[in-house]
Amino acid sequence: MNRSKSLAATSKSITAMARKRSSKTTLVFFLLLSLLAFLSFLPVFASLPSLPSYSHSHDLHFHLPRHQRLHRRQKISVRKFEIAEDKFWKDGKPFQIIGGDLHYFRVLPEYWEDRLLRAKALGLNTVQTYIPWNLHEPEAGKLVFEGIADLVSFLKLCQKLGLLVMLRAGPYICAEWDLGGFPAWLLSIHPDVRLRSSDPAYLQKVEGWWGVLLPKVAPLLYGNGGPIIMVQIENEFGSCGNDKAYLSHLVKLARGHLGEDIILYTTDGGSRETLEKGTIQGDGVFAAVDFTTGDNPWPIFKLQKQFNSPGKSPPLSSEFYTGWLTHWSEKMARTDADFTAAALEKIMLQNGSVVLYMAHGGTNFGFYNGANTGADESDYKPDLTSYDYDAPITESGDVDNAKFKAIRRVMGKFSSVSLPSVPPNNKKTGYGSIQLKRTAFLFDLLDEIDPLHIVEAESPTAMEYLNQMFGFVLYVSEYVAKTGGSKLVIPKVHDRAQVFISCSPEVNGGQVSYVGTLERWSNQAINLPNVKCVSSTSLFILVENMGRVNYGPYIFDRKGILSSVYVDGSVLKRWKMISIPFHNLNEVPKFNPVIQVASKFHKVSAGKKLEHKSVGVGGPSFYTGHFSIDTKTEVTDTYISLRGWGKGIAFVNEFNIGRYWPTSGPQCNLYIPAPILRQGENVLVIFELESPNPELMVDSVDQPDFTCGPGQASVHQNEDGKASASLLTPNPLGLRTF
């Protein structure tokens, strides 16, 4: 996506043009004429140097007179998708791409067909999707192509349903996806690799990845009988760099695996600067553009022509924005349906091709949401769990809305066939209130962890160097408190750190006190009160990875404590680090000491009341609840409402449905697709970081809700207005907004 753009307004129109066929007699005449012309031109072609294009036969074709090119296309019987005369051609006939982004990794496989059929009912003939490297190679050398990562099955399903595919192979994808699709283990390599560059260490990893990926998709290219008509190289590279050697290397890799006939393309913002930096002229790569919805498209398409070879620049907006992304603490992004449809029609009226971004957004399940930055890397803005995007097909697949209807009306005007009937919205059910029970307090678990699973070092270690890519890290050290209290400073923490202190068990039972929260976007010193410990004071810093930056100059985004930690101006040494990774979308941690111990505590808590080191019910804790679906009842989609809770993550039947943060908003409810649920008992587990709903209750409801926000948060303060350290009681933690 072109993040430098915002959404705006306009529309209008002209009539489309059609091509007439020749009569039988004319066809025979042209056949003889073409043969004579071809023979007479052979010596000329023999003297031409080979050109870097899709294939030599392709180049030969463009040197023929126009009437011969037309005749040749009418005789084509093999499958072929190509560019000529500033048009797309499919099997010898002009073709208008009416596409939309729909990402297989944001939809459960059980719902792929449902969402694709809805896209087809919208009027699409093509689906565009990214390929996130980190989904398929979560650990170096560990390849995953099953379940939600079963790319080949998704592509075959597109073909079965009569949809063509534009494949965005990366290796960088942006997509509001963690680290722009790069696997986070790239950040653990020493010395640092330079992402999106000609750095040999980086290119070696790309070659290894594409050496697995591209042979998998090669049989599914259009010329090989599959649905893939185009493959994108990188993504909006012109917005970040100017390394032509890097782009050319990617082209060479792609051609080596995919052959010369497939159309390779780039996507860049519709300005001269981005196109100059991001296009690959002379390598036979088609340059597509994206731009703000509502901009006059035709001057941009005219500019696009300057970056494509003559006759090879069909107007294509490869990201036509139907909505926009939303970060935590923002209002939900919404765009007007009629305005969007009018801007779309303005492109299509003059035979322009277009790909909706998004046709269907889906969900950032697990920990895969991305983030953006502003003026510097501390201006950090993580994305919601929902990737609804205000797309015509909503997060849950609903199509009974104004935007779907408005866009479908436009699509219907340009479709060569009647559009399929519109399916009804999928049924959703509110299964009622779910009572939860606190099953473990994080700090109760620490004594049970095997020391072999605790990393010790003089200085804090980044998450990636602990061989952990997602979740949380608990950093533990000790300091000697001053009589009047101490001051804690951590210059660089990614992304959010909750600070706790405790004396030894001999003093007040080792109770843990919450002190304050450090946030990447508003990092300030924290006052550590003197809790009058007999000896040193234990310091606990729980750091959450809230999603890596996916766009811009700060995507090299390691997580955890990334600097020295200072207490009263002195560097604090001798740290212990405990990983808390949790399940992610497509992987289960090999070993999670905290979760293993928490499971044991859960079994114990089922039989007796547990004593906790904290007072009340606040602080980082695990909560478990059960709800049943009658065996005679159809299992349908639902949402869980987290209103009244603080911040954390939720699991349903061991599936990580994502992050919640209603006190920041705007997302209140998490979407739970029916395939996650089952008839009989279902288990909900919540890891709440701050303060739960006082009744320890969540509700299963039948609709989304994006009306939560900072107004619900409160800060426990002293009479002088300063935040205080307190034992973990039901007081919510102080929250800040971006």
Side-chain angles (χ1 to χ4, degrees):
M1 296 185 51
N2 190 341
R3 308 296 176 260
S4 63
K5 300 293 185 182
S6 59
L7 300 164
T10 101
S11 71
K12 260 195 196 170
S13 60
I14 325 177
T15 48
M17 301 189 64
R19 197 181 187 106
K20 295 184 179 179
R21 292 183 175 272
S22 303
S23 66
K24 259 188 181 179
T25 307
T26 309
L27 187 61
V28 173
F29 172 75
F30 277 138
L31 182 61
L32 295 171
L33 185 61
S34 299
L35 182 60
L36 291 171
F38 178 74
L39 291 173
S40 65
F41 273 87
L42 273 178
V44 177
F45 293 134
S47 64
L48 289 175
S50 59
L51 299 175
S53 66
Y54 312 128
S55 68
H56 295 304
S57 62
H58 217 92
D59 292 322
L60 180 69
H61 173 73
F62 287 123
H63 287 81
L64 291 171
R66 186 175 181 278
H67 66 276
Q68 292 179 342
R69 295 201 301 269
L70 170 62
H71 175 70
R72 182 182 170 202
R73 269 193 205 89
Q74 291 174 335
K75 293 292 288 181
I76 286 176
S77 58
V78 297
R79 289 170 60 90
K80 193 172 185 66
F81 194 89
E82 58 186 328
I83 295 174
E85 301 174 35
D86 290 333
K87 293 183 179 70
F88 293 109
W89 295 80
K90 177 175 172 284
D91 301 334
K93 297 179 181 178
F95 185 79
Q96 185 178 27
I97 293 174
I98 306 175
D101 265 78
L102 192 160
H103 302 155
Y104 63 97
F105 47 91
R106 285 185 161 119
V107 180
L108 293 188
E110 296 88 339
Y111 273 164
W112 284 346
E113 183 164 354
D114 174 85
R115 302 302 194 261
L116 289 170
L117 288 172
R118 291 168 191 273
K120 198 168 183 180
L122 181 62
L124 305 190
N125 57 32
T126 304
V127 165
Q128 183 171 252
T129 186
Y130 287 118
I131 302 175
W133 182 358
N134 53 9
L135 180 78
H136 295 283
E137 195 174 5
E139 299 175 25
K142 177 188 174 184
L143 282 303
V144 180
F145 286 94
E146 297 84 34
I148 201 165
D150 191 351
L151 170 65
V152 170
S153 291
F154 177 79
L155 297 174
K156 288 181 177 178
L157 181 59
C158 289
Q159 182 169 27
K160 172 189 167 185
L161 299 178
L163 289 163
L164 300 173
V165 174
M166 295 168 63
L167 203 59
R168 313 180 88 173
Y172 165 80
I173 64 170
C174 186
E176 286 75 64
W177 193 254
D178 188 86
L179 200 57
F182 286 127
W185 50 261
L186 288 173
L187 306 184
S188 68
I189 297 172
H190 184 77
D192 293 350
V193 298
R194 288 183 293 112
L195 303 177
R196 308 183 73 186
S197 77
S198 296
D199 177 5
Y202 165 68
L203 291 179
Q204 181 184 33
K205 300 301 180 184
V206 173
E207 289 168 6
W209 161 232
W210 272 16
V212 173
L213 172 68
L214 298 185
K216 281 184 177 291
V217 302
L220 296 168
L221 300 180
Y222 190 79
N224 294 335
I228 302 170
I229 55 173
M230 298 168 65
V231 175
Q232 182 175 303
I233 299 296
E234 246 277 347
N235 190 58
E236 294 178 335
F237 187 74
S239 298
C240 83
N242 193 22
D243 189 340
K244 296 293 188 180
Y246 164 54
L247 295 179
S248 294
H249 188 78
L250 294 182
V251 172
K252 182 179 178 181
L253 281 178
R255 290 284 180 222
H257 290 292
L258 303 179
E260 296 293 319
D261 291 333
I262 185 66
I263 297 173
L264 301 181
Y265 70 111
T266 57
T267 292
D268 284 286
S271 71
R272 181 172 296 279
E273 180 183 3
T274 55
L275 286 167
E276 284 177 346
K277 292 179 179 179
T279 55
I280 318 172
Q281 293 175 284
D283 273 335
V285 178
F286 170 61
V289 291
D290 57 32
F291 45 85
T292 301
T293 301
D295 281 355
N296 184 351
W298 293 100
I300 298 172
F301 290 143
K302 184 178 179 180
L303 176 65
Q304 176 195 5
K305 279 192 172 187
Q306 298 178 31
F307 295 89
N308 285 306
S309 300
K312 297 185 182 181
S313 193
L316 170 64
S317 172
S318 53
E319 288 190 7
F320 174 88
Y321 303 115
T322 60
W324 202 246
L325 60 103
T326 305
H327 304 116
W328 290 108
S329 89
E330 297 176 349
K331 289 185 177 180
M332 196 66 182
R334 301 292 185 198
T335 57
D336 181 73
D338 291 334
F339 157 71
T340 304
L344 175 66
E345 187 166 14
K346 192 169 186 178
I347 295 173
M348 300 184 71
L349 269 169
Q350 296 189 50
N351 219 24
S353 289
V354 66
V355 181
L356 308 181
Y357 194 101
M358 300 287 296
H360 169 58
T363 308
N364 294 319
F365 293 117
F367 295 121
Y368 276 115
N369 68 275
N372 292 106
T373 53
D376 54 51
E377 65 175 334
S378 65
D379 186 12
Y380 172 79
K381 304 173 183 180
D383 299 317
L384 302 182
T385 296
S386 171
Y387 198 64
D388 179 85
Y389 212 84
D390 197 29
I393 305 170
T394 70
E395 179 181 16
S396 63
D398 285 357
V399 293
D400 187 12
N401 62 73
K403 187 169 288 183
F404 184 95
K405 293 172 183 175
I407 291 177
R408 177 180 157 89
R409 279 196 297 271
V410 173
M411 298 293 198
K413 296 178 182 179
F414 301 94
S415 177
S416 58
V417 296
S418 298
L419 299 186
S421 59
V422 179
N425 290 345
N426 287 326
K427 184 179 178 183
K428 286 167 279 293
T429 303
Y431 293 108
S433 296
I434 305 170
Q435 183 67 57
L436 285 88
K437 178 180 180 180
R438 189 187 195 194
T439 50
F441 175 52
L442 177 65
F443 296 101
D444 289 337
L445 310 178
L446 302 186
D447 293 338
E448 303 291 326
I449 295 174
D450 189 332
L452 293 174
H453 299 294
I454 299 175
V455 176
E456 298 190 25
E458 278 296 290
S459 301
T461 302
M463 177 181 284
E464 292 79 6
Y465 289 135
L466 298 173
N467 197 31
Q468 179 189 341
M469 306 307 153
F470 301 96
F472 303 77
V473 174
L474 182 65
Y475 295 84
V476 185
S477 188
E478 295 181 343
Y479 70 99
V480 178
K482 291 184 176 180
T483 304
S486 298
K487 181 171 287 188
L488 172 71
V489 174
I490 309 177
K492 193 170 184 179
V493 60
H494 289 189
D495 297 303
R496 191 171 185 270
Q498 293 169 269
V499 180
F500 307 86
I501 57 175
S502 174
C503 294
S504 62
E506 295 77 36
V507 182
N508 71 4
Q511 286 182 331
V512 178
S513 299
Y514 165 70
V515 177
T517 299
L518 291 164
E519 294 161 325
R520 176 173 174 171
W521 53 93
S522 58
N523 193 339
Q524 298 176 349
I526 287 183
N527 291 322
L528 302 175
N530 182 7
V531 289
K532 298 180 180 179
C533 296
V534 174
S535 56
S536 58
T537 302
S538 294
L539 176 66
F540 303 92
I541 305 174
L542 181 63
V543 179
E544 178 186 4
N545 168 0
M546 292 179 61
R548 291 181 182 83
V549 173
N550 59 262
Y551 179 82
Y554 305 113
I555 64 168
F556 199 93
D557 187 18
R558 289 195 180 107
K559 299 301 184 180
I561 295 178
L562 306 179
S563 66
S564 294
V565 175
Y566 299 87
V567 174
D568 297 324
S570 298
V571 175
L572 199 60
K573 298 287 188 179
R574 300 179 62 188
W575 289 87
K576 296 178 180 179
M577 284 143 290
I578 302 169
S579 293
I580 313 173
F582 292 106
H583 292 208
N584 202 5
L585 182 58
N586 64 327
E587 59 177 329
V588 177
K590 291 178 180 177
F591 184 80
N592 187 337
V594 172
I595 299 304
Q596 187 179 65
V597 175
S599 298
K600 182 176 74 173
F601 268 63
H602 171 60
K603 293 174 184 176
V604 172
S605 69
K608 66 176 184 178
K609 185 176 180 180
L610 290 176
E611 296 296 327
H612 297 294
K613 292 180 181 178
S614 68
V615 176
V617 292
S621 301
F622 296 89
Y623 298 84
T624 303
H626 300 79
F627 62 101
S628 294
I629 300 176
D630 191 277
T631 54
K632 297 180 182 178
T633 302
E634 178 189 6
V635 178
T636 72
D637 293 354
T638 190
Y639 298 83
I640 57 167
S641 171
L642 279 304
R643 279 187 180 272
W645 291 74
K647 185 180 194 303
I649 53 176
F651 303 82
V652 174
N653 296 331
E654 299 187 349
F655 185 91
N656 188 338
I657 59 174
R659 311 175 198 267
Y660 66 88
W661 197 7
T663 46
S664 181
Q667 185 172 1
C668 312
N669 301 352
L670 293 179
Y671 172 54
I672 306 177
I676 293 173
L677 303 173
R678 59 197 176 214
Q679 291 177 326
E681 185 179 74
N682 294 267
V683 181
L684 169 65
V685 176
I686 288 175
F687 181 50
E688 167 63 47
L689 294 169
E690 298 174 345
S691 187
N693 177 298
E695 288 79 34
L696 300 187
M697 194 86 72
V698 301
D699 291 312
S700 168
V701 298
D702 62 0
Q703 57 190 352
D705 185 355
F706 295 101
T707 61
C708 284
Q712 299 184 52
S714 61
V715 182
H716 181 56
Q717 295 181 328
N718 294 323
E719 291 181 2
D720 62 2
K722 294 180 180 179
S724 69
S726 62
L727 294 176
L728 288 168
T729 63
N731 300 309
L733 303 183
L735 297 177
R736 300 171 179 82
T737 57
F738 300 131

